[in-house]
Amino acid sequence: MQLARQIQQLKSTKIMEKASKKSTGTKKQTSGYTQEENNSMLQELFIDELRDIYWAEKHLVKSLPKLEKAASSEELANAFAEHLAVTQEQVSRLEQVFEILGEKPRGKKCEAMEGLVMEAESVIEDTEEGTSTRDVALIIAAQKVEHYEIAAYGGLATLAKTMGKTEIKDLLGQTLDEEKETDEILTQLAESSINQSASQEQA
């Protein structure tokens, strides 16, 4: 009787060991993705983000002339006009990136940029024409846009570097530098005279 129990226990142990090995083997086969699959998933995300910022830039091209027209300061109006030309070049640069990737340039609605542009345009309605206060509000709204773009291009350039796409990284890095420069120009305009002028305006 005791021998029969020992044999039965031995059989049970072997069955459990086999089941454990089978389970481990299955995990090895199914866990994670291959490097090629990971790269493909990352590239899909990359292209999706490109479409997002492509839509955002084209939307901004339509809005910048309104901001230029609304600006009271000649310097601020010129800054918006110059950034419009820069933004148009950035759109072309993104189209070049799509071409390198073998993708058709196509935008995907960017909810963030739509909201930022809407806020910038609402500033025009909420402030008095010809005042420095309006210019201050326009600068703040424009810098919110710039900060969004800096984050977007910074992330995309880093992803391009990770994927070994040096040419694309350089193109996106060029745009990133332009956005940082525009942000700095807006800060200088605010600090040089516009903020001080606005502080003397009566409600």
Side-chain angles (χ1 to χ4, degrees), residues 42-69:
L42 190 59
Q43 180 149 319
E44 281 184 14
L45 173 64
F46 183 72
I47 291 170
D48 191 61
E49 291 296 326
L50 278 176
R51 288 173 178 155
D52 186 88
I53 196 65
Y54 182 62
W55 187 96
E57 295 288 25
K58 294 188 79 172
H59 190 60
L60 188 57
V61 164
K62 298 175 184 177
S63 178
L64 280 167
K66 299 177 186 177
L67 304 186
E68 178 190 352
K69 185 177 179 180

PDB file of all heavy atoms in Angstrom, residues 42-69:
ATOM      1  N   LEU A  42       6.666  51.515 -33.009  1.00  0.00           N
ATOM      2  CA  LEU A  42       7.195  52.842 -32.712  1.00  0.00           C
ATOM      3  C   LEU A  42       7.068  53.748 -33.925  1.00  0.00           C
ATOM      4  O   LEU A  42       6.730  54.923 -33.806  1.00  0.00           O
ATOM      5  CB  LEU A  42       8.663  52.730 -32.282  1.00  0.00           C
ATOM      6  CG  LEU A  42       9.302  53.996 -31.708  1.00  0.00           C
ATOM      7  CD1 LEU A  42       8.535  54.478 -30.483  1.00  0.00           C
ATOM      8  CD2 LEU A  42      10.751  53.747 -31.353  1.00  0.00           C
ATOM      9  N   GLN A  43       7.317  53.192 -35.105  1.00  0.00           N
ATOM     10  CA  GLN A  43       7.191  53.990 -36.330  1.00  0.00           C
ATOM     11  C   GLN A  43       5.743  54.385 -36.567  1.00  0.00           C
ATOM     12  O   GLN A  43       5.465  55.502 -37.009  1.00  0.00           O
ATOM     13  CB  GLN A  43       7.740  53.222 -37.533  1.00  0.00           C
ATOM     14  CG  GLN A  43       7.630  54.016 -38.832  1.00  0.00           C
ATOM     15  CD  GLN A  43       8.728  53.714 -39.825  1.00  0.00           C
ATOM     16  OE1 GLN A  43       9.884  53.563 -39.473  1.00  0.00           O
ATOM     17  NE2 GLN A  43       8.354  53.600 -41.087  1.00  0.00           N
ATOM     18  N   GLU A  44       4.807  53.502 -36.256  1.00  0.00           N
ATOM     19  CA  GLU A  44       3.382  53.840 -36.395  1.00  0.00           C
ATOM     20  C   GLU A  44       3.032  55.022 -35.498  1.00  0.00           C
ATOM     21  O   GLU A  44       2.325  55.947 -35.901  1.00  0.00           O
ATOM     22  CB  GLU A  44       2.519  52.634 -36.040  1.00  0.00           C
ATOM     23  CG  GLU A  44       2.424  51.592 -37.143  1.00  0.00           C
ATOM     24  CD  GLU A  44       1.478  50.459 -36.780  1.00  0.00           C
ATOM     25  OE1 GLU A  44       0.703  50.615 -35.817  1.00  0.00           O
ATOM     26  OE2 GLU A  44       1.519  49.424 -37.452  1.00  0.00           O
ATOM     27  N   LEU A  45       3.529  54.976 -34.258  1.00  0.00           N
ATOM     28  CA  LEU A  45       3.303  56.081 -33.324  1.00  0.00           C
ATOM     29  C   LEU A  45       3.948  57.355 -33.851  1.00  0.00           C
ATOM     30  O   LEU A  45       3.352  58.439 -33.810  1.00  0.00           O
ATOM     31  CB  LEU A  45       3.879  55.733 -31.949  1.00  0.00           C
ATOM     32  CG  LEU A  45       3.877  56.865 -30.911  1.00  0.00           C
ATOM     33  CD1 LEU A  45       2.448  57.283 -30.574  1.00  0.00           C
ATOM     34  CD2 LEU A  45       4.620  56.451 -29.651  1.00  0.00           C
ATOM     35  N   PHE A  46       5.164  57.230 -34.362  1.00  0.00           N
ATOM     36  CA  PHE A  46       5.914  58.363 -34.892  1.00  0.00           C
ATOM     37  C   PHE A  46       5.149  59.037 -36.025  1.00  0.00           C
ATOM     38  O   PHE A  46       4.991  60.263 -36.047  1.00  0.00           O
ATOM     39  CB  PHE A  46       7.279  57.864 -35.377  1.00  0.00           C
ATOM     40  CG  PHE A  46       8.187  58.948 -35.880  1.00  0.00           C
ATOM     41  CD1 PHE A  46       8.781  59.838 -34.990  1.00  0.00           C
ATOM     42  CD2 PHE A  46       8.466  59.072 -37.230  1.00  0.00           C
ATOM     43  CE1 PHE A  46       9.642  60.839 -35.454  1.00  0.00           C
ATOM     44  CE2 PHE A  46       9.320  60.069 -37.696  1.00  0.00           C
ATOM     45  CZ  PHE A  46       9.899  60.946 -36.806  1.00  0.00           C
ATOM     46  N   ILE A  47       4.648  58.240 -36.948  1.00  0.00           N
ATOM     47  CA  ILE A  47       3.905  58.777 -38.095  1.00  0.00           C
ATOM     48  C   ILE A  47       2.605  59.427 -37.631  1.00  0.00           C
ATOM     49  O   ILE A  47       2.204  60.488 -38.128  1.00  0.00           O
ATOM     50  CB  ILE A  47       3.625  57.668 -39.132  1.00  0.00           C
ATOM     51  CG1 ILE A  47       4.952  57.231 -39.793  1.00  0.00           C
ATOM     52  CG2 ILE A  47       2.639  58.137 -40.195  1.00  0.00           C
ATOM     53  CD1 ILE A  47       4.840  56.000 -40.655  1.00  0.00           C
ATOM     54  N   ASP A  48       1.959  58.819 -36.654  1.00  0.00           N
ATOM     55  CA  ASP A  48       0.722  59.375 -36.114  1.00  0.00           C
ATOM     56  C   ASP A  48       0.979  60.750 -35.493  1.00  0.00           C
ATOM     57  O   ASP A  48       0.200  61.691 -35.695  1.00  0.00           O
ATOM     58  CB  ASP A  48       0.145  58.420 -35.071  1.00  0.00           C
ATOM     59  CG  ASP A  48      -1.270  58.795 -34.670  1.00  0.00           C
ATOM     60  OD1 ASP A  48      -2.154  58.807 -35.544  1.00  0.00           O
ATOM     61  OD2 ASP A  48      -1.505  59.085 -33.478  1.00  0.00           O
ATOM     62  N   GLU A  49       2.089  60.870 -34.760  1.00  0.00           N
ATOM     63  CA  GLU A  49       2.436  62.156 -34.149  1.00  0.00           C
ATOM     64  C   GLU A  49       2.834  63.187 -35.210  1.00  0.00           C
ATOM     65  O   GLU A  49       2.565  64.386 -35.053  1.00  0.00           O
ATOM     66  CB  GLU A  49       3.580  61.957 -33.146  1.00  0.00           C
ATOM     67  CG  GLU A  49       3.196  61.175 -31.900  1.00  0.00           C
ATOM     68  CD  GLU A  49       2.167  61.888 -31.048  1.00  0.00           C
ATOM     69  OE1 GLU A  49       2.193  63.142 -30.994  1.00  0.00           O
ATOM     70  OE2 GLU A  49       1.332  61.211 -30.439  1.00  0.00           O
ATOM     71  N   LEU A  50       3.475  62.719 -36.266  1.00  0.00           N
ATOM     72  CA  LEU A  50       3.807  63.625 -37.372  1.00  0.00           C
ATOM     73  C   LEU A  50       2.543  64.207 -38.000  1.00  0.00           C
ATOM     74  O   LEU A  50       2.489  65.398 -38.321  1.00  0.00           O
ATOM     75  CB  LEU A  50       4.606  62.880 -38.446  1.00  0.00           C
ATOM     76  CG  LEU A  50       6.106  62.695 -38.246  1.00  0.00           C
ATOM     77  CD1 LEU A  50       6.671  61.851 -39.376  1.00  0.00           C
ATOM     78  CD2 LEU A  50       6.824  64.046 -38.180  1.00  0.00           C
ATOM     79  N   ARG A  51       1.551  63.351 -38.193  1.00  0.00           N
ATOM     80  CA  ARG A  51       0.287  63.811 -38.779  1.00  0.00           C
ATOM     81  C   ARG A  51      -0.398  64.831 -37.877  1.00  0.00           C
ATOM     82  O   ARG A  51      -1.026  65.781 -38.343  1.00  0.00           O
ATOM     83  CB  ARG A  51      -0.624  62.613 -39.034  1.00  0.00           C
ATOM     84  CG  ARG A  51      -0.154  61.756 -40.211  1.00  0.00           C
ATOM     85  CD  ARG A  51      -0.949  60.494 -40.364  1.00  0.00           C
ATOM     86  NE  ARG A  51      -0.497  59.733 -41.530  1.00  0.00           N
ATOM     87  CZ  ARG A  51      -0.635  58.434 -41.693  1.00  0.00           C
ATOM     88  NH1 ARG A  51      -1.212  57.718 -40.743  1.00  0.00           N
ATOM     89  NH2 ARG A  51      -0.189  57.840 -42.787  1.00  0.00           N
ATOM     90  N   ASP A  52      -0.244  64.636 -36.576  1.00  0.00           N
ATOM     91  CA  ASP A  52      -0.826  65.548 -35.598  1.00  0.00           C
ATOM     92  C   ASP A  52      -0.192  66.942 -35.716  1.00  0.00           C
ATOM     93  O   ASP A  52      -0.902  67.951 -35.827  1.00  0.00           O
ATOM     94  CB  ASP A  52      -0.592  64.971 -34.195  1.00  0.00           C
ATOM     95  CG  ASP A  52      -1.289  65.776 -33.113  1.00  0.00           C
ATOM     96  OD1 ASP A  52      -2.463  65.484 -32.835  1.00  0.00           O
ATOM     97  OD2 ASP A  52      -0.664  66.687 -32.536  1.00  0.00           O
ATOM     98  N   ILE A  53       1.136  67.003 -35.734  1.00  0.00           N
ATOM     99  CA  ILE A  53       1.805  68.309 -35.800  1.00  0.00           C
ATOM    100  C   ILE A  53       1.695  68.913 -37.200  1.00  0.00           C
ATOM    101  O   ILE A  53       1.701  70.140 -37.351  1.00  0.00           O
ATOM    102  CB  ILE A  53       3.287  68.186 -35.346  1.00  0.00           C
ATOM    103  CG1 ILE A  53       3.873  69.569 -35.033  1.00  0.00           C
ATOM    104  CG2 ILE A  53       4.130  67.454 -36.371  1.00  0.00           C
ATOM    105  CD1 ILE A  53       3.250  70.272 -33.867  1.00  0.00           C
ATOM    106  N   TYR A  54       1.554  68.093 -38.216  1.00  0.00           N
ATOM    107  CA  TYR A  54       1.364  68.592 -39.581  1.00  0.00           C
ATOM    108  C   TYR A  54       0.037  69.348 -39.672  1.00  0.00           C
ATOM    109  O   TYR A  54      -0.028  70.451 -40.214  1.00  0.00           O
ATOM    110  CB  TYR A  54       1.393  67.416 -40.560  1.00  0.00           C
ATOM    111  CG  TYR A  54       1.256  67.789 -42.023  1.00  0.00           C
ATOM    112  CD1 TYR A  54       2.202  68.586 -42.649  1.00  0.00           C
ATOM    113  CD2 TYR A  54       0.188  67.307 -42.787  1.00  0.00           C
ATOM    114  CE1 TYR A  54       2.092  68.911 -44.000  1.00  0.00           C
ATOM    115  CE2 TYR A  54       0.067  67.629 -44.134  1.00  0.00           C
ATOM    116  CZ  TYR A  54       1.018  68.434 -44.729  1.00  0.00           C
ATOM    117  OH  TYR A  54       0.899  68.746 -46.060  1.00  0.00           O
ATOM    118  N   TRP A  55      -1.006  68.753 -39.107  1.00  0.00           N
ATOM    119  CA  TRP A  55      -2.314  69.426 -39.069  1.00  0.00           C
ATOM    120  C   TRP A  55      -2.200  70.713 -38.256  1.00  0.00           C
ATOM    121  O   TRP A  55      -2.730  71.761 -38.646  1.00  0.00           O
ATOM    122  CB  TRP A  55      -3.360  68.507 -38.446  1.00  0.00           C
ATOM    123  CG  TRP A  55      -4.764  69.031 -38.516  1.00  0.00           C
ATOM    124  CD1 TRP A  55      -5.712  68.735 -39.449  1.00  0.00           C
ATOM    125  CD2 TRP A  55      -5.396  69.957 -37.601  1.00  0.00           C
ATOM    126  NE1 TRP A  55      -6.883  69.413 -39.183  1.00  0.00           N
ATOM    127  CE2 TRP A  55      -6.713  70.176 -38.060  1.00  0.00           C
ATOM    128  CE3 TRP A  55      -4.966  70.617 -36.454  1.00  0.00           C
ATOM    129  CZ2 TRP A  55      -7.603  71.013 -37.403  1.00  0.00           C
ATOM    130  CZ3 TRP A  55      -5.853  71.472 -35.798  1.00  0.00           C
ATOM    131  CH2 TRP A  55      -7.155  71.666 -36.274  1.00  0.00           C
ATOM    132  N   ALA A  56      -1.487  70.626 -37.138  1.00  0.00           N
ATOM    133  CA  ALA A  56      -1.348  71.777 -36.244  1.00  0.00           C
ATOM    134  C   ALA A  56      -0.673  72.953 -36.950  1.00  0.00           C
ATOM    135  O   ALA A  56      -1.125  74.102 -36.844  1.00  0.00           O
ATOM    136  CB  ALA A  56      -0.548  71.377 -35.003  1.00  0.00           C
ATOM    137  N   GLU A  57       0.396  72.671 -37.687  1.00  0.00           N
ATOM    138  CA  GLU A  57       1.118  73.745 -38.379  1.00  0.00           C
ATOM    139  C   GLU A  57       0.265  74.384 -39.481  1.00  0.00           C
ATOM    140  O   GLU A  57       0.263  75.606 -39.646  1.00  0.00           O
ATOM    141  CB  GLU A  57       2.423  73.200 -38.980  1.00  0.00           C
ATOM    142  CG  GLU A  57       3.447  72.727 -37.952  1.00  0.00           C
ATOM    143  CD  GLU A  57       4.111  73.869 -37.192  1.00  0.00           C
ATOM    144  OE1 GLU A  57       3.531  74.967 -37.076  1.00  0.00           O
ATOM    145  OE2 GLU A  57       5.221  73.648 -36.695  1.00  0.00           O
ATOM    146  N   LYS A  58      -0.458  73.558 -40.207  1.00  0.00           N
ATOM    147  CA  LYS A  58      -1.298  74.098 -41.278  1.00  0.00           C
ATOM    148  C   LYS A  58      -2.445  74.932 -40.696  1.00  0.00           C
ATOM    149  O   LYS A  58      -2.855  75.942 -41.281  1.00  0.00           O
ATOM    150  CB  LYS A  58      -1.841  72.951 -42.141  1.00  0.00           C
ATOM    151  CG  LYS A  58      -0.745  72.213 -42.912  1.00  0.00           C
ATOM    152  CD  LYS A  58      -1.300  71.213 -43.910  1.00  0.00           C
ATOM    153  CE  LYS A  58      -1.764  71.894 -45.161  1.00  0.00           C
ATOM    154  NZ  LYS A  58      -2.128  70.939 -46.232  1.00  0.00           N
ATOM    155  N   HIS A  59      -2.935  74.526 -39.549  1.00  0.00           N
ATOM    156  CA  HIS A  59      -3.987  75.290 -38.870  1.00  0.00           C
ATOM    157  C   HIS A  59      -3.430  76.627 -38.386  1.00  0.00           C
ATOM    158  O   HIS A  59      -4.108  77.662 -38.477  1.00  0.00           O
ATOM    159  CB  HIS A  59      -4.521  74.471 -37.692  1.00  0.00           C
ATOM    160  CG  HIS A  59      -5.757  75.032 -37.069  1.00  0.00           C
ATOM    161  ND1 HIS A  59      -6.945  75.208 -37.758  1.00  0.00           N
ATOM    162  CD2 HIS A  59      -6.006  75.466 -35.802  1.00  0.00           C
ATOM    163  CE1 HIS A  59      -7.866  75.714 -36.958  1.00  0.00           C
ATOM    164  NE2 HIS A  59      -7.316  75.888 -35.768  1.00  0.00           N
ATOM    165  N   LEU A  60      -2.203  76.604 -37.915  1.00  0.00           N
ATOM    166  CA  LEU A  60      -1.568  77.827 -37.425  1.00  0.00           C
ATOM    167  C   LEU A  60      -1.314  78.815 -38.559  1.00  0.00           C
ATOM    168  O   LEU A  60      -1.420  80.033 -38.370  1.00  0.00           O
ATOM    169  CB  LEU A  60      -0.242  77.465 -36.737  1.00  0.00           C
ATOM    170  CG  LEU A  60       0.479  78.583 -35.990  1.00  0.00           C
ATOM    171  CD1 LEU A  60      -0.417  79.197 -34.920  1.00  0.00           C
ATOM    172  CD2 LEU A  60       1.761  78.055 -35.357  1.00  0.00           C
ATOM    173  N   VAL A  61      -0.989  78.304 -39.743  1.00  0.00           N
ATOM    174  CA  VAL A  61      -0.780  79.161 -40.917  1.00  0.00           C
ATOM    175  C   VAL A  61      -2.025  80.014 -41.181  1.00  0.00           C
ATOM    176  O   VAL A  61      -1.929  81.183 -41.577  1.00  0.00           O
ATOM    177  CB  VAL A  61      -0.433  78.302 -42.160  1.00  0.00           C
ATOM    178  CG1 VAL A  61      -0.588  79.111 -43.438  1.00  0.00           C
ATOM    179  CG2 VAL A  61       0.993  77.770 -42.045  1.00  0.00           C
ATOM    180  N   LYS A  62      -3.202  79.440 -40.952  1.00  0.00           N
ATOM    181  CA  LYS A  62      -4.455  80.180 -41.183  1.00  0.00           C
ATOM    182  C   LYS A  62      -4.706  81.228 -40.098  1.00  0.00           C
ATOM    183  O   LYS A  62      -5.380  82.236 -40.349  1.00  0.00           O
ATOM    184  CB  LYS A  62      -5.631  79.199 -41.215  1.00  0.00           C
ATOM    185  CG  LYS A  62      -5.563  78.173 -42.336  1.00  0.00           C
ATOM    186  CD  LYS A  62      -6.712  77.180 -42.213  1.00  0.00           C
ATOM    187  CE  LYS A  62      -6.609  76.077 -43.261  1.00  0.00           C
ATOM    188  NZ  LYS A  62      -7.674  75.057 -43.104  1.00  0.00           N
ATOM    189  N   SER A  63      -4.189  80.979 -38.897  1.00  0.00           N
ATOM    190  CA  SER A  63      -4.480  81.859 -37.771  1.00  0.00           C
ATOM    191  C   SER A  63      -3.512  83.030 -37.614  1.00  0.00           C
ATOM    192  O   SER A  63      -3.904  84.116 -37.164  1.00  0.00           O
ATOM    193  CB  SER A  63      -4.482  81.032 -36.472  1.00  0.00           C
ATOM    194  OG  SER A  63      -4.705  81.843 -35.353  1.00  0.00           O
ATOM    195  N   LEU A  64      -2.259  82.839 -37.971  1.00  0.00           N
ATOM    196  CA  LEU A  64      -1.246  83.873 -37.741  1.00  0.00           C
ATOM    197  C   LEU A  64      -1.572  85.237 -38.381  1.00  0.00           C
ATOM    198  O   LEU A  64      -1.315  86.273 -37.757  1.00  0.00           O
ATOM    199  CB  LEU A  64       0.123  83.375 -38.207  1.00  0.00           C
ATOM    200  CG  LEU A  64       0.835  82.443 -37.221  1.00  0.00           C
ATOM    201  CD1 LEU A  64       2.026  81.760 -37.884  1.00  0.00           C
ATOM    202  CD2 LEU A  64       1.283  83.214 -35.978  1.00  0.00           C
ATOM    203  N   PRO A  65      -2.126  85.279 -39.603  1.00  0.00           N
ATOM    204  CA  PRO A  65      -2.482  86.590 -40.162  1.00  0.00           C
ATOM    205  C   PRO A  65      -3.499  87.345 -39.294  1.00  0.00           C
ATOM    206  O   PRO A  65      -3.456  88.591 -39.231  1.00  0.00           O
ATOM    207  CB  PRO A  65      -3.091  86.233 -41.529  1.00  0.00           C
ATOM    208  CG  PRO A  65      -2.436  84.942 -41.894  1.00  0.00           C
ATOM    209  CD  PRO A  65      -2.310  84.201 -40.594  1.00  0.00           C
ATOM    210  N   LYS A  66      -4.387  86.626 -38.625  1.00  0.00           N
ATOM    211  CA  LYS A  66      -5.361  87.280 -37.734  1.00  0.00           C
ATOM    212  C   LYS A  66      -4.656  87.896 -36.535  1.00  0.00           C
ATOM    213  O   LYS A  66      -5.007  88.991 -36.087  1.00  0.00           O
ATOM    214  CB  LYS A  66      -6.401  86.256 -37.255  1.00  0.00           C
ATOM    215  CG  LYS A  66      -7.218  85.624 -38.360  1.00  0.00           C
ATOM    216  CD  LYS A  66      -8.160  84.573 -37.797  1.00  0.00           C
ATOM    217  CE  LYS A  66      -8.880  83.822 -38.902  1.00  0.00           C
ATOM    218  NZ  LYS A  66      -9.751  82.739 -38.371  1.00  0.00           N
ATOM    219  N   LEU A  67      -3.652  87.173 -36.004  1.00  0.00           N
ATOM    220  CA  LEU A  67      -2.907  87.693 -34.859  1.00  0.00           C
ATOM    221  C   LEU A  67      -2.072  88.906 -35.267  1.00  0.00           C
ATOM    222  O   LEU A  67      -1.970  89.882 -34.524  1.00  0.00           O
ATOM    223  CB  LEU A  67      -2.008  86.606 -34.271  1.00  0.00           C
ATOM    224  CG  LEU A  67      -2.676  85.301 -33.848  1.00  0.00           C
ATOM    225  CD1 LEU A  67      -1.678  84.392 -33.147  1.00  0.00           C
ATOM    226  CD2 LEU A  67      -3.883  85.560 -32.948  1.00  0.00           C
ATOM    227  N   GLU A  68      -1.487  88.838 -36.466  1.00  0.00           N
ATOM    228  CA  GLU A  68      -0.699  89.964 -36.981  1.00  0.00           C
ATOM    229  C   GLU A  68      -1.570  91.215 -37.113  1.00  0.00           C
ATOM    230  O   GLU A  68      -1.176  92.304 -36.701  1.00  0.00           O
ATOM    231  CB  GLU A  68      -0.103  89.595 -38.346  1.00  0.00           C
ATOM    232  CG  GLU A  68       0.681  90.721 -38.983  1.00  0.00           C
ATOM    233  CD  GLU A  68       1.057  90.433 -40.431  1.00  0.00           C
ATOM    234  OE1 GLU A  68       0.850  89.302 -40.904  1.00  0.00           O
ATOM    235  OE2 GLU A  68       1.554  91.360 -41.098  1.00  0.00           O
ATOM    236  N   LYS A  69      -2.739  91.033 -37.669  1.00  0.00           N
ATOM    237  CA  LYS A  69      -3.653  92.165 -37.876  1.00  0.00           C
ATOM    238  C   LYS A  69      -4.127  92.761 -36.557  1.00  0.00           C
ATOM    239  O   LYS A  69      -4.340  93.977 -36.451  1.00  0.00           O
ATOM    240  CB  LYS A  69      -4.853  91.696 -38.701  1.00  0.00           C
ATOM    241  CG  LYS A  69      -5.803  92.820 -39.090  1.00  0.00           C
ATOM    242  CD  LYS A  69      -6.939  92.294 -39.960  1.00  0.00           C
ATOM    243  CE  LYS A  69      -7.904  93.427 -40.336  1.00  0.00           C
ATOM    244  NZ  LYS A  69      -9.025  92.936 -41.180  1.00  0.00           N
TER     245      LYS A  69
END
